[in-house]
Amino acid sequence: GESVGLHLPTLSVQEGDNSIINCAYSNSASDYFIWYKQESGKGPQFIIDIRSNMDKRQGQRVTVLLNKTVKHLSLQIAATQPGDSAVYFCAESGANSKLTFGKGITLSVRP
Amino acid sequence: EAQVTQNPRYLITVTGKKLTVTCSQNMNHEYMSWYRQDPGLGLRQIYYSMNVEVTDKGDVPEGYKVSRKEKRNFPLILESPSPNQTSLYFCASSFPWDTQYFGPGTRLTVL
């Protein structure tokens, strides 16, 4: 079946370094991709999104890259801060606004 | 403040005792959805609704019911809860094919 997955379950980075979180998706019909951040005890929080007609989108300290050729999505966080520690999910959306989530990766920021 | 609210936030119940988890959004979103989140399985969609009186099954609908009588509300009903429905539940809403915003979650334990 169609799935969205993440390459690594955990990522540990030094405070101030850049973080890169990768995600592979398998549904070539997906046309909308989102990164969510989930802190302990809270619901997923929108970070940034990108549509399939783009290959890069930048926000505040975050950049999402989309490579449709290899069905790969990445989230780059610049100057990672302790407040960035959380679980990050990629999600893809296709027909009927259905979101398919990856299983999540934990980002841990070392002081 | 734009938000998705869920009630209750925490619930402990016994097998077979019917329960309802409410979800409400104040953003005039057409699309609403329920997810469950389990360790190692990520977020999985239970049911979704494209608009009032329009609902459809997600990936894991067994044992759940929903209704959408009003645009702002999308309750999740467990007619006869079982222990395998112990989970963390999230409601989300959005405009069609747009970013989904999540509620704070309902932690359900079925004994």
Side-chain angles (χ1 to χ4, degrees), chain A residues 31-32 34 36 38 41-46 49 51 89 93-103, chain B residues 9 31 35 37 40-43 45 48 50 58-59 88 90 94-104:
Chain A
D31 56 6
Y32 180 51
I34 313 106
Y36 285 93
Q38 187 176 21
K42 297 183 179 180
Q45 176 186 4
F46 169 82
D49 59 0
R51 299 206 180 264
F89 294 94
S93 180
N96 296 326
S97 295
K98 175 176 163 52
L99 274 182
T100 301
F101 284 85
K103 290 190 171 42
Chain B
R9 294 289 315 280
Y31 182 90
Y35 297 86
Q37 186 174 32
L41 297 176
L43 282 148
Q45 190 181 54
Y48 65 95
M50 295 295 286
D59 297 318
L88 181 57
F90 289 102
S94 74
F95 293 114
W97 300 285
D98 205 346
T99 304
Q100 291 189 29
Y101 293 92
F102 284 78

mmCIF file of all heavy atoms in Angstrom, chain A residues 31-32 34 36 38 41-46 49 51 89 93-103, chain B residues 9 31 35 37 40-43 45 48 50 58-59 88 90 94-104:
data_model
loop_
_atom_site.group_PDB
_atom_site.id
_atom_site.type_symbol
_atom_site.label_atom_id
_atom_site.label_comp_id
_atom_site.label_asym_id
_atom_site.label_seq_id
_atom_site.Cartn_x
_atom_site.Cartn_y
_atom_site.Cartn_z
ATOM 1 N N ASP A 31 0.055 15.432 -3.872
ATOM 2 C CA ASP A 31 0.399 16.742 -4.425
ATOM 3 C C ASP A 31 0.603 17.809 -3.360
ATOM 4 O O ASP A 31 0.798 18.991 -3.682
ATOM 5 C CB ASP A 31 -0.677 17.181 -5.425
ATOM 6 C CG ASP A 31 -2.064 17.205 -4.794
ATOM 7 O OD1 ASP A 31 -2.169 16.999 -3.574
ATOM 8 O OD2 ASP A 31 -3.042 17.404 -5.541
ATOM 9 N N TYR A 32 0.557 17.401 -2.122
ATOM 10 C CA TYR A 32 0.698 18.377 -1.043
ATOM 11 C C TYR A 32 1.399 17.685 0.108
ATOM 12 O O TYR A 32 1.022 16.583 0.500
ATOM 13 C CB TYR A 32 -0.691 18.876 -0.642
ATOM 14 C CG TYR A 32 -0.735 19.888 0.470
ATOM 15 C CD1 TYR A 32 0.063 21.033 0.430
ATOM 16 C CD2 TYR A 32 -1.580 19.717 1.548
ATOM 17 C CE1 TYR A 32 0.010 21.967 1.446
ATOM 18 C CE2 TYR A 32 -1.646 20.649 2.565
ATOM 19 C CZ TYR A 32 -0.841 21.766 2.506
ATOM 20 O OH TYR A 32 -0.898 22.698 3.508
ATOM 21 N N ILE A 34 3.360 18.140 4.050
ATOM 22 C CA ILE A 34 3.395 18.983 5.243
ATOM 23 C C ILE A 34 4.368 18.405 6.261
ATOM 24 O O ILE A 34 4.473 17.179 6.394
ATOM 25 C CB ILE A 34 1.991 19.061 5.907
ATOM 26 C CG1 ILE A 34 0.900 19.346 4.890
ATOM 27 C CG2 ILE A 34 1.980 20.118 7.021
ATOM 28 C CD1 ILE A 34 0.047 18.151 4.561
ATOM 29 N N TYR A 36 4.946 18.430 10.345
ATOM 30 C CA TYR A 36 4.360 18.762 11.630
ATOM 31 C C TYR A 36 5.374 18.519 12.735
ATOM 32 O O TYR A 36 6.213 17.629 12.644
ATOM 33 C CB TYR A 36 3.125 17.896 11.915
ATOM 34 C CG TYR A 36 1.894 18.258 11.141
ATOM 35 C CD1 TYR A 36 1.599 17.633 9.926
ATOM 36 C CD2 TYR A 36 0.996 19.202 11.629
ATOM 37 C CE1 TYR A 36 0.445 17.952 9.228
ATOM 38 C CE2 TYR A 36 -0.156 19.524 10.921
ATOM 39 C CZ TYR A 36 -0.427 18.901 9.722
ATOM 40 O OH TYR A 36 -1.557 19.217 9.029
ATOM 41 N N GLN A 38 5.478 17.756 16.919
ATOM 42 C CA GLN A 38 4.643 17.377 18.043
ATOM 43 C C GLN A 38 5.471 17.360 19.316
ATOM 44 O O GLN A 38 6.387 16.558 19.464
ATOM 45 C CB GLN A 38 3.987 16.014 17.826
ATOM 46 C CG GLN A 38 2.975 15.665 18.897
ATOM 47 C CD GLN A 38 2.251 14.360 18.627
ATOM 48 O OE1 GLN A 38 2.727 13.507 17.876
ATOM 49 N NE2 GLN A 38 1.086 14.186 19.222
ATOM 50 N N GLY A 41 2.682 15.745 24.920
ATOM 51 C CA GLY A 41 1.401 16.123 25.487
ATOM 52 C C GLY A 41 0.573 17.061 24.635
ATOM 53 O O GLY A 41 -0.481 17.536 25.068
ATOM 54 N N LYS A 42 1.024 17.306 23.407
ATOM 55 C CA LYS A 42 0.299 18.239 22.542
ATOM 56 C C LYS A 42 -0.033 17.587 21.206
ATOM 57 O O LYS A 42 0.509 16.554 20.843
ATOM 58 C CB LYS A 42 1.140 19.493 22.300
ATOM 59 C CG LYS A 42 1.423 20.294 23.551
ATOM 60 C CD LYS A 42 2.187 21.559 23.209
ATOM 61 C CE LYS A 42 2.455 22.389 24.459
ATOM 62 N NZ LYS A 42 3.212 23.638 24.152
ATOM 63 N N GLY A 43 -0.927 18.229 20.483
ATOM 64 C CA GLY A 43 -1.246 17.762 19.146
ATOM 65 C C GLY A 43 -0.206 18.209 18.143
ATOM 66 O O GLY A 43 0.582 19.125 18.406
ATOM 67 N N PRO A 44 -0.174 17.575 16.970
ATOM 68 C CA PRO A 44 0.763 17.997 15.920
ATOM 69 C C PRO A 44 0.545 19.457 15.549
ATOM 70 O O PRO A 44 -0.589 19.914 15.416
ATOM 71 C CB PRO A 44 0.420 17.071 14.757
ATOM 72 C CG PRO A 44 -0.171 15.865 15.408
ATOM 73 C CD PRO A 44 -0.935 16.389 16.578
ATOM 74 N N GLN A 45 1.633 20.150 15.369
ATOM 75 C CA GLN A 45 1.587 21.582 15.056
ATOM 76 C C GLN A 45 2.208 21.799 13.684
ATOM 77 O O GLN A 45 3.312 21.334 13.409
ATOM 78 C CB GLN A 45 2.369 22.351 16.127
ATOM 79 C CG GLN A 45 2.484 23.841 15.888
ATOM 80 C CD GLN A 45 3.390 24.513 16.908
ATOM 81 O OE1 GLN A 45 3.997 23.858 17.745
ATOM 82 N NE2 GLN A 45 3.482 25.825 16.844
ATOM 83 N N PHE A 46 1.516 22.505 12.831
ATOM 84 C CA PHE A 46 1.994 22.786 11.472
ATOM 85 C C PHE A 46 3.306 23.572 11.512
ATOM 86 O O PHE A 46 3.448 24.529 12.269
ATOM 87 C CB PHE A 46 0.931 23.596 10.726
ATOM 88 C CG PHE A 46 1.390 24.164 9.417
ATOM 89 C CD1 PHE A 46 1.393 23.383 8.283
ATOM 90 C CD2 PHE A 46 1.814 25.478 9.331
ATOM 91 C CE1 PHE A 46 1.802 23.914 7.076
ATOM 92 C CE2 PHE A 46 2.225 26.022 8.134
ATOM 93 C CZ PHE A 46 2.216 25.233 6.999
ATOM 94 N N ASP A 49 4.684 23.752 4.712
ATOM 95 C CA ASP A 49 4.125 22.862 3.698
ATOM 96 C C ASP A 49 4.711 23.200 2.332
ATOM 97 O O ASP A 49 5.369 24.229 2.153
ATOM 98 C CB ASP A 49 2.589 22.953 3.664
ATOM 99 C CG ASP A 49 2.083 24.369 3.364
ATOM 100 O OD1 ASP A 49 2.907 25.295 3.183
ATOM 101 O OD2 ASP A 49 0.850 24.554 3.330
ATOM 102 N N ARG A 51 3.724 22.367 -2.033
ATOM 103 C CA ARG A 51 2.893 21.706 -3.038
ATOM 104 C C ARG A 51 3.794 21.124 -4.112
ATOM 105 O O ARG A 51 4.951 21.506 -4.260
ATOM 106 C CB ARG A 51 1.872 22.683 -3.612
ATOM 107 C CG ARG A 51 0.937 23.200 -2.521
ATOM 108 C CD ARG A 51 -0.416 23.645 -3.012
ATOM 109 N NE ARG A 51 -1.239 24.113 -1.887
ATOM 110 C CZ ARG A 51 -2.124 23.352 -1.259
ATOM 111 N NH1 ARG A 51 -2.337 22.112 -1.658
ATOM 112 N NH2 ARG A 51 -2.828 23.830 -0.258
ATOM 113 N N PHE A 89 6.882 14.903 12.099
ATOM 114 C CA PHE A 89 6.199 14.023 11.161
ATOM 115 C C PHE A 89 6.140 14.679 9.791
ATOM 116 O O PHE A 89 5.818 15.861 9.688
ATOM 117 C CB PHE A 89 4.749 13.785 11.590
ATOM 118 C CG PHE A 89 4.573 13.038 12.870
ATOM 119 C CD1 PHE A 89 4.415 13.716 14.065
ATOM 120 C CD2 PHE A 89 4.546 11.655 12.878
ATOM 121 C CE1 PHE A 89 4.240 13.036 15.259
ATOM 122 C CE2 PHE A 89 4.364 10.964 14.069
ATOM 123 C CZ PHE A 89 4.212 11.657 15.251
ATOM 124 N N SER A 93 -0.591 14.458 1.256
ATOM 125 C CA SER A 93 -2.024 14.588 1.051
ATOM 126 C C SER A 93 -2.349 14.401 -0.417
ATOM 127 O O SER A 93 -1.669 14.917 -1.288
ATOM 128 C CB SER A 93 -2.498 15.963 1.506
ATOM 129 O OG SER A 93 -3.894 16.109 1.326
ATOM 130 N N GLY A 94 -3.407 13.648 -0.645
ATOM 131 C CA GLY A 94 -3.837 13.428 -2.022
ATOM 132 C C GLY A 94 -5.333 13.595 -2.123
ATOM 133 O O GLY A 94 -5.893 14.579 -1.670
ATOM 134 N N ALA A 95 -5.991 12.589 -2.655
ATOM 135 C CA ALA A 95 -7.435 12.673 -2.864
ATOM 136 C C ALA A 95 -8.189 12.839 -1.545
ATOM 137 O O ALA A 95 -7.776 12.313 -0.521
ATOM 138 C CB ALA A 95 -7.914 11.396 -3.568
ATOM 139 N N ASN A 96 -9.257 13.614 -1.569
ATOM 140 C CA ASN A 96 -10.134 13.804 -0.404
ATOM 141 C C ASN A 96 -9.418 14.399 0.803
ATOM 142 O O ASN A 96 -9.834 14.181 1.935
ATOM 143 C CB ASN A 96 -10.794 12.480 0.009
ATOM 144 C CG ASN A 96 -11.717 11.946 -1.049
ATOM 145 O OD1 ASN A 96 -12.360 12.716 -1.766
ATOM 146 N ND2 ASN A 96 -11.777 10.641 -1.183
ATOM 147 N N SER A 97 -8.345 15.123 0.566
ATOM 148 C CA SER A 97 -7.572 15.744 1.657
ATOM 149 C C SER A 97 -7.006 14.740 2.642
ATOM 150 O O SER A 97 -6.584 15.109 3.730
ATOM 151 C CB SER A 97 -8.445 16.746 2.440
ATOM 152 O OG SER A 97 -8.820 17.828 1.645
ATOM 153 N N LYS A 98 -7.009 13.475 2.296
ATOM 154 C CA LYS A 98 -6.521 12.457 3.230
ATOM 155 C C LYS A 98 -5.035 12.638 3.486
ATOM 156 O O LYS A 98 -4.237 12.700 2.562
ATOM 157 C CB LYS A 98 -6.775 11.068 2.646
ATOM 158 C CG LYS A 98 -6.199 9.930 3.481
ATOM 159 C CD LYS A 98 -6.581 8.601 2.893
ATOM 160 C CE LYS A 98 -5.730 7.457 3.407
ATOM 161 N NZ LYS A 98 -5.669 7.398 4.860
ATOM 162 N N LEU A 99 -4.690 12.714 4.755
ATOM 163 C CA LEU A 99 -3.291 12.824 5.155
ATOM 164 C C LEU A 99 -2.755 11.451 5.516
ATOM 165 O O LEU A 99 -3.379 10.722 6.278
ATOM 166 C CB LEU A 99 -3.149 13.729 6.375
ATOM 167 C CG LEU A 99 -3.030 15.238 6.191
ATOM 168 C CD1 LEU A 99 -2.859 15.897 7.546
ATOM 169 C CD2 LEU A 99 -1.890 15.596 5.269
ATOM 170 N N THR A 100 -1.603 11.115 4.971
ATOM 171 C CA THR A 100 -0.898 9.911 5.373
ATOM 172 C C THR A 100 0.383 10.344 6.052
ATOM 173 O O THR A 100 1.194 11.055 5.457
ATOM 174 C CB THR A 100 -0.595 9.019 4.162
ATOM 175 O OG1 THR A 100 -1.826 8.666 3.522
ATOM 176 C CG2 THR A 100 0.127 7.755 4.603
ATOM 177 N N PHE A 101 0.567 9.911 7.290
ATOM 178 C CA PHE A 101 1.708 10.342 8.091
ATOM 179 C C PHE A 101 2.818 9.313 8.089
ATOM 180 O O PHE A 101 2.570 8.106 8.071
ATOM 181 C CB PHE A 101 1.271 10.548 9.541
ATOM 182 C CG PHE A 101 0.508 11.810 9.783
ATOM 183 C CD1 PHE A 101 -0.857 11.861 9.572
ATOM 184 C CD2 PHE A 101 1.154 12.950 10.226
ATOM 185 C CE1 PHE A 101 -1.572 13.018 9.791
ATOM 186 C CE2 PHE A 101 0.449 14.116 10.458
ATOM 187 C CZ PHE A 101 -0.914 14.154 10.242
ATOM 188 N N GLY A 102 4.028 9.804 8.176
ATOM 189 C CA GLY A 102 5.152 8.955 8.517
ATOM 190 C C GLY A 102 5.088 8.638 10.004
ATOM 191 O O GLY A 102 4.281 9.218 10.735
ATOM 192 N N LYS A 103 5.940 7.737 10.452
ATOM 193 C CA LYS A 103 5.863 7.294 11.843
ATOM 194 C C LYS A 103 6.515 8.261 12.813
ATOM 195 O O LYS A 103 6.369 8.112 14.015
ATOM 196 C CB LYS A 103 6.476 5.896 11.966
ATOM 197 C CG LYS A 103 5.606 4.848 11.288
ATOM 198 C CD LYS A 103 6.036 3.447 11.582
ATOM 199 C CE LYS A 103 5.047 2.410 11.078
ATOM 200 N NZ LYS A 103 4.482 2.644 9.770
ATOM 201 N N ARG B 9 -10.281 15.522 27.694
ATOM 202 C CA ARG B 9 -8.865 15.374 27.377
ATOM 203 C C ARG B 9 -8.342 14.021 27.855
ATOM 204 O O ARG B 9 -7.432 13.462 27.252
ATOM 205 C CB ARG B 9 -8.076 16.499 28.032
ATOM 206 C CG ARG B 9 -8.384 17.886 27.487
ATOM 207 C CD ARG B 9 -7.843 18.072 26.080
ATOM 208 N NE ARG B 9 -6.489 17.580 25.923
ATOM 209 C CZ ARG B 9 -5.394 18.238 26.294
ATOM 210 N NH1 ARG B 9 -5.501 19.434 26.827
ATOM 211 N NH2 ARG B 9 -4.203 17.711 26.110
ATOM 212 N N TYR B 31 -13.569 20.535 6.132
ATOM 213 C CA TYR B 31 -12.995 19.211 6.323
ATOM 214 C C TYR B 31 -12.655 18.983 7.788
ATOM 215 O O TYR B 31 -12.029 19.831 8.438
ATOM 216 C CB TYR B 31 -11.730 19.080 5.464
ATOM 217 C CG TYR B 31 -11.049 17.736 5.534
ATOM 218 C CD1 TYR B 31 -11.400 16.716 4.645
ATOM 219 C CD2 TYR B 31 -10.066 17.478 6.472
ATOM 220 C CE1 TYR B 31 -10.776 15.480 4.693
ATOM 221 C CE2 TYR B 31 -9.440 16.248 6.533
ATOM 222 C CZ TYR B 31 -9.797 15.260 5.643
ATOM 223 O OH TYR B 31 -9.189 14.031 5.701
ATOM 224 N N TYR B 35 -8.024 10.998 14.089
ATOM 225 C CA TYR B 35 -6.853 10.141 14.016
ATOM 226 C C TYR B 35 -6.647 9.487 15.370
ATOM 227 O O TYR B 35 -7.012 10.028 16.410
ATOM 228 C CB TYR B 35 -5.593 10.949 13.688
ATOM 229 C CG TYR B 35 -5.606 11.635 12.353
ATOM 230 C CD1 TYR B 35 -6.185 12.900 12.208
ATOM 231 C CD2 TYR B 35 -5.058 11.035 11.229
ATOM 232 C CE1 TYR B 35 -6.205 13.541 10.972
ATOM 233 C CE2 TYR B 35 -5.067 11.669 9.991
ATOM 234 C CZ TYR B 35 -5.639 12.914 9.882
ATOM 235 O OH TYR B 35 -5.659 13.548 8.663
ATOM 236 N N GLN B 37 -3.321 7.802 17.567
ATOM 237 C CA GLN B 37 -1.859 7.750 17.571
ATOM 238 C C GLN B 37 -1.412 6.683 18.555
ATOM 239 O O GLN B 37 -1.745 6.731 19.743
ATOM 240 C CB GLN B 37 -1.258 9.098 17.964
ATOM 241 C CG GLN B 37 0.253 9.147 17.849
ATOM 242 C CD GLN B 37 0.805 10.530 18.102
ATOM 243 O OE1 GLN B 37 0.257 11.302 18.876
ATOM 244 N NE2 GLN B 37 1.908 10.861 17.431
ATOM 245 N N GLY B 40 4.857 3.503 17.719
ATOM 246 C CA GLY B 40 5.350 2.660 16.637
ATOM 247 C C GLY B 40 4.475 2.628 15.411
ATOM 248 O O GLY B 40 4.894 2.120 14.365
ATOM 249 N N LEU B 41 3.260 3.165 15.512
ATOM 250 C CA LEU B 41 2.338 3.139 14.369
ATOM 251 C C LEU B 41 2.029 4.531 13.834
ATOM 252 O O LEU B 41 1.384 4.667 12.799
ATOM 253 C CB LEU B 41 1.029 2.441 14.772
ATOM 254 C CG LEU B 41 1.160 0.970 15.159
ATOM 255 C CD1 LEU B 41 -0.182 0.425 15.630
ATOM 256 C CD2 LEU B 41 1.686 0.133 13.984
ATOM 257 N N GLY B 42 2.438 5.537 14.561
ATOM 258 C CA GLY B 42 2.202 6.899 14.100
ATOM 259 C C GLY B 42 0.734 7.280 14.160
ATOM 260 O O GLY B 42 -0.061 6.719 14.910
ATOM 261 N N LEU B 43 0.363 8.229 13.351
ATOM 262 C CA LEU B 43 -1.015 8.727 13.290
ATOM 263 C C LEU B 43 -1.763 8.021 12.167
ATOM 264 O O LEU B 43 -1.311 8.012 11.019
ATOM 265 C CB LEU B 43 -1.012 10.233 13.009
ATOM 266 C CG LEU B 43 -0.689 11.108 14.201
ATOM 267 C CD1 LEU B 43 0.045 12.358 13.765
ATOM 268 C CD2 LEU B 43 -1.980 11.493 14.911
ATOM 269 N N GLN B 45 -5.622 7.546 10.289
ATOM 270 C CA GLN B 45 -6.916 8.189 10.147
ATOM 271 C C GLN B 45 -8.051 7.196 10.418
ATOM 272 O O GLN B 45 -8.075 6.093 9.880
ATOM 273 C CB GLN B 45 -7.068 8.779 8.755
ATOM 274 C CG GLN B 45 -8.285 9.663 8.585
ATOM 275 C CD GLN B 45 -8.407 10.212 7.182
ATOM 276 O OE1 GLN B 45 -8.404 9.483 6.197
ATOM 277 N NE2 GLN B 45 -8.493 11.534 7.070
ATOM 278 N N TYR B 48 -13.213 10.620 8.290
ATOM 279 C CA TYR B 48 -13.118 12.010 7.910
ATOM 280 C C TYR B 48 -14.454 12.482 7.354
ATOM 281 O O TYR B 48 -15.333 11.667 7.026
ATOM 282 C CB TYR B 48 -11.989 12.258 6.894
ATOM 283 C CG TYR B 48 -12.189 11.602 5.549
ATOM 284 C CD1 TYR B 48 -12.755 12.300 4.483
ATOM 285 C CD2 TYR B 48 -11.776 10.285 5.331
ATOM 286 C CE1 TYR B 48 -12.918 11.701 3.245
ATOM 287 C CE2 TYR B 48 -11.931 9.685 4.092
ATOM 288 C CZ TYR B 48 -12.497 10.397 3.055
ATOM 289 O OH TYR B 48 -12.661 9.800 1.823
ATOM 290 N N MET B 50 -15.953 15.546 4.641
ATOM 291 C CA MET B 50 -15.669 16.625 3.701
ATOM 292 C C MET B 50 -16.605 17.810 3.906
ATOM 293 O O MET B 50 -16.309 18.917 3.464
ATOM 294 C CB MET B 50 -15.788 16.118 2.264
ATOM 295 C CG MET B 50 -14.766 15.059 1.885
ATOM 296 S SD MET B 50 -13.064 15.672 1.903
ATOM 297 C CE MET B 50 -13.066 16.660 0.408
ATOM 298 N N GLY B 58 -11.685 6.147 7.140
ATOM 299 C CA GLY B 58 -10.260 6.299 6.916
ATOM 300 C C GLY B 58 -9.602 4.930 6.880
ATOM 301 O O GLY B 58 -10.173 3.962 6.380
ATOM 302 N N ASP B 59 -8.431 4.839 7.485
ATOM 303 C CA ASP B 59 -7.671 3.588 7.440
ATOM 304 C C ASP B 59 -8.068 2.577 8.515
ATOM 305 O O ASP B 59 -7.920 1.369 8.322
ATOM 306 C CB ASP B 59 -6.180 3.888 7.580
ATOM 307 C CG ASP B 59 -5.661 4.732 6.435
ATOM 308 O OD1 ASP B 59 -6.057 4.447 5.283
ATOM 309 O OD2 ASP B 59 -4.896 5.678 6.678
ATOM 310 N N LEU B 88 -4.326 7.482 21.916
ATOM 311 C CA LEU B 88 -4.380 8.946 21.943
ATOM 312 C C LEU B 88 -5.086 9.385 20.670
ATOM 313 O O LEU B 88 -4.662 9.037 19.564
ATOM 314 C CB LEU B 88 -2.973 9.517 22.002
ATOM 315 C CG LEU B 88 -2.818 11.034 22.065
ATOM 316 C CD1 LEU B 88 -3.557 11.625 23.245
ATOM 317 C CD2 LEU B 88 -1.332 11.395 22.123
ATOM 318 N N PHE B 90 -6.796 12.300 18.116
ATOM 319 C CA PHE B 90 -6.722 13.691 17.675
ATOM 320 C C PHE B 90 -7.793 13.975 16.638
ATOM 321 O O PHE B 90 -8.012 13.194 15.713
ATOM 322 C CB PHE B 90 -5.361 14.000 17.051
ATOM 323 C CG PHE B 90 -4.238 14.038 18.035
ATOM 324 C CD1 PHE B 90 -3.373 12.966 18.140
ATOM 325 C CD2 PHE B 90 -4.048 15.141 18.845
ATOM 326 C CE1 PHE B 90 -2.329 12.994 19.052
ATOM 327 C CE2 PHE B 90 -3.010 15.178 19.755
ATOM 328 C CZ PHE B 90 -2.156 14.101 19.860
ATOM 329 N N SER B 94 -9.684 21.493 8.487
ATOM 330 C CA SER B 94 -9.014 22.310 7.472
ATOM 331 C C SER B 94 -10.020 22.719 6.401
ATOM 332 O O SER B 94 -11.129 22.187 6.332
ATOM 333 C CB SER B 94 -7.874 21.539 6.819
ATOM 334 O OG SER B 94 -8.373 20.549 5.938
ATOM 335 N N PHE B 95 -9.595 23.652 5.549
ATOM 336 C CA PHE B 95 -10.273 23.833 4.277
ATOM 337 C C PHE B 95 -9.795 22.686 3.388
ATOM 338 O O PHE B 95 -8.706 22.162 3.586
ATOM 339 C CB PHE B 95 -9.927 25.194 3.673
ATOM 340 C CG PHE B 95 -10.471 26.349 4.465
ATOM 341 C CD1 PHE B 95 -9.628 27.229 5.116
ATOM 342 C CD2 PHE B 95 -11.848 26.545 4.568
ATOM 343 C CE1 PHE B 95 -10.129 28.283 5.870
ATOM 344 C CE2 PHE B 95 -12.360 27.590 5.315
ATOM 345 C CZ PHE B 95 -11.492 28.459 5.974
ATOM 346 N N PRO B 96 -10.607 22.281 2.411
ATOM 347 C CA PRO B 96 -10.208 21.147 1.577
ATOM 348 C C PRO B 96 -8.843 21.341 0.935
ATOM 349 O O PRO B 96 -8.523 22.428 0.454
ATOM 350 C CB PRO B 96 -11.321 21.090 0.526
ATOM 351 C CG PRO B 96 -12.505 21.679 1.218
ATOM 352 C CD PRO B 96 -11.950 22.774 2.088
ATOM 353 N N TRP B 97 -8.043 20.314 0.964
ATOM 354 C CA TRP B 97 -6.719 20.291 0.355
ATOM 355 C C TRP B 97 -5.813 21.386 0.903
ATOM 356 O O TRP B 97 -4.970 21.936 0.205
ATOM 357 C CB TRP B 97 -6.822 20.405 -1.178
ATOM 358 C CG TRP B 97 -7.611 19.264 -1.730
ATOM 359 C CD1 TRP B 97 -7.183 17.976 -1.878
ATOM 360 C CD2 TRP B 97 -8.983 19.295 -2.150
ATOM 361 N NE1 TRP B 97 -8.217 17.221 -2.367
ATOM 362 C CE2 TRP B 97 -9.319 17.981 -2.556
ATOM 363 C CE3 TRP B 97 -9.960 20.291 -2.228
ATOM 364 C CZ2 TRP B 97 -10.582 17.642 -3.013
ATOM 365 C CZ3 TRP B 97 -11.217 19.958 -2.694
ATOM 366 C CH2 TRP B 97 -11.519 18.653 -3.088
ATOM 367 N N ASP B 98 -5.978 21.668 2.182
ATOM 368 C CA ASP B 98 -5.157 22.675 2.830
ATOM 369 C C ASP B 98 -4.626 22.121 4.148
ATOM 370 O O ASP B 98 -4.936 20.996 4.519
ATOM 371 C CB ASP B 98 -5.963 23.949 3.047
ATOM 372 C CG ASP B 98 -5.102 25.187 3.135
ATOM 373 O OD1 ASP B 98 -3.868 25.044 3.297
ATOM 374 O OD2 ASP B 98 -5.649 26.304 3.049
ATOM 375 N N THR B 99 -3.851 22.916 4.852
ATOM 376 C CA THR B 99 -3.225 22.472 6.089
ATOM 377 C C THR B 99 -4.259 22.070 7.127
ATOM 378 O O THR B 99 -5.208 22.814 7.388
ATOM 379 C CB THR B 99 -2.367 23.604 6.655
ATOM 380 O OG1 THR B 99 -1.434 23.999 5.670
ATOM 381 C CG2 THR B 99 -1.644 23.145 7.915
ATOM 382 N N GLN B 100 -4.053 20.904 7.748
ATOM 383 C CA GLN B 100 -4.947 20.463 8.803
ATOM 384 C C GLN B 100 -4.409 20.942 10.152
ATOM 385 O O GLN B 100 -3.219 20.845 10.433
ATOM 386 C CB GLN B 100 -5.067 18.942 8.801
ATOM 387 C CG GLN B 100 -5.823 18.444 7.578
ATOM 388 C CD GLN B 100 -6.155 16.975 7.625
ATOM 389 O OE1 GLN B 100 -6.326 16.391 8.688
ATOM 390 N NE2 GLN B 100 -6.260 16.352 6.464
ATOM 391 N N TYR B 101 -5.333 21.457 10.962
ATOM 392 C CA TYR B 101 -4.994 21.930 12.300
ATOM 393 C C TYR B 101 -5.551 20.950 13.319
ATOM 394 O O TYR B 101 -6.707 20.539 13.228
ATOM 395 C CB TYR B 101 -5.567 23.333 12.518
ATOM 396 C CG TYR B 101 -4.907 24.351 11.630
ATOM 397 C CD1 TYR B 101 -5.445 24.651 10.376
ATOM 398 C CD2 TYR B 101 -3.729 24.973 12.006
ATOM 399 C CE1 TYR B 101 -4.820 25.554 9.529
ATOM 400 C CE2 TYR B 101 -3.100 25.889 11.173
ATOM 401 C CZ TYR B 101 -3.644 26.166 9.933
ATOM 402 O OH TYR B 101 -3.019 27.047 9.098
ATOM 403 N N PHE B 102 -4.712 20.593 14.278
ATOM 404 C CA PHE B 102 -5.049 19.529 15.207
ATOM 405 C C PHE B 102 -5.498 20.062 16.564
ATOM 406 O O PHE B 102 -5.020 21.099 17.027
ATOM 407 C CB PHE B 102 -3.841 18.617 15.411
ATOM 408 C CG PHE B 102 -3.601 17.698 14.253
ATOM 409 C CD1 PHE B 102 -2.994 18.159 13.099
ATOM 410 C CD2 PHE B 102 -3.998 16.379 14.310
ATOM 411 C CE1 PHE B 102 -2.781 17.317 12.014
ATOM 412 C CE2 PHE B 102 -3.794 15.527 13.241
ATOM 413 C CZ PHE B 102 -3.185 15.992 12.100
ATOM 414 N N GLY B 103 -6.383 19.304 17.188
ATOM 415 C CA GLY B 103 -6.756 19.578 18.555
ATOM 416 C C GLY B 103 -5.696 19.087 19.518
ATOM 417 O O GLY B 103 -4.687 18.503 19.108
ATOM 418 N N PRO B 104 -5.911 19.263 20.821
ATOM 419 C CA PRO B 104 -4.897 18.923 21.822
ATOM 420 C C PRO B 104 -4.813 17.434 22.154
ATOM 421 O O PRO B 104 -3.867 17.007 22.807
ATOM 422 C CB PRO B 104 -5.341 19.719 23.055
ATOM 423 C CG PRO B 104 -6.825 19.816 22.901
ATOM 424 C CD PRO B 104 -7.066 19.941 21.426
#
